[in-house]
């Protein structure tokens, strides 16, 4: 399994408010694999993102991603990121795909060192992500399962 869906008390309003402040800084995603104008990123640390890292007991870097309607993120692995905590902060729960298997989620831990992708629907998909570079998926999974304030969803 490359995804652990969970629920906990996330201040989505704080995340949305922060996005509203920084969305003017959104840039096309660009790395060694190429540039994507239909997928924007804002790398941004702020007080609530630090609180989330403390709550989940991870060292992470926060960023917002926005995926355009009908955009397709082909199967890929994240560069250097071992796993991530993903939070969909609008109401577009277009699924992540690991291989041919689709997973809908609102909040999830993803093993982004494995091939995954997204085929978006007709709405913009807004994601807040905490990228984790120093711990593998299974290590963070144990932290989630041991945190009594987090409910694991099957």
């Amino acid at each position: 399994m490359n995804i652990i869906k969970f629920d906990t008390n996330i201040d989505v309003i704080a995340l949305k408010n922060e996005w509203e402040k920084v969305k003017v800084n959104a840039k096309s995603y660009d790395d060694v694999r190429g540039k994507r104008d239909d997928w924007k990123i804002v790398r941004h640390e702020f007080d609530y993102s630090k609180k989330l890292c403390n709550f989940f007991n991870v060292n992470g870097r926060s960023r917002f991603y926005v995926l355009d309607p009908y955009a397709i993120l082909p199967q890929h692995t994240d560069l250097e990121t071992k796993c991530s905590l993903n939070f969909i902060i609008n109401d577009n729960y277009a699924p992540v795909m690991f291989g041919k298997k689709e997973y809908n989620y609102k909040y999830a831990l993803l093993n982004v060192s494995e091939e995954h992708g997204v085929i978006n629907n007709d709405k913009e998909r807004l994601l807040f992500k905490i990228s984790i570079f120093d711990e593998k998926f299974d290590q963070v999974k144990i932290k989630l399962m041991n945190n009594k304030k987090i409910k694991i969803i099957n």
Side-chain angles (χ1 to χ4, degrees), residues 3-8 52 55-58 84-87 107-110 132 137-152:
I3 181 171
I4 300 294
K5 297 185 274 185
F6 62 87
D7 194 19
T8 191
L52 286 172
F55 175 78
F56 289 101
N57 190 23
V58 296
S84 66
L85 293 163
N86 286 21
F87 308 86
Y107 310 138
L109 169 67
L110 272 66
I132 301 166
F137 175 82
D138 288 334
Q139 294 170 287
V140 178
K141 175 183 168 182
I142 290 168
K143 291 181 180 184
L144 292 182
M145 296 176 84
N146 289 333
N147 186 327
K148 293 186 184 351
K149 294 182 178 178
I150 297 172
K151 178 185 176 188
I152 304 298

Side-chain angles (χ1 to χ4, degrees), residues 92-110:
N92 181 0
Y93 305 109
V96 65
M97 297 177 69
F98 284 92
K100 295 189 186 305
K101 183 95 169 117
E102 293 185 0
Y103 300 92
N104 288 297
Y105 69 92
K106 183 174 181 179
Y107 310 138
L109 169 67
L110 272 66

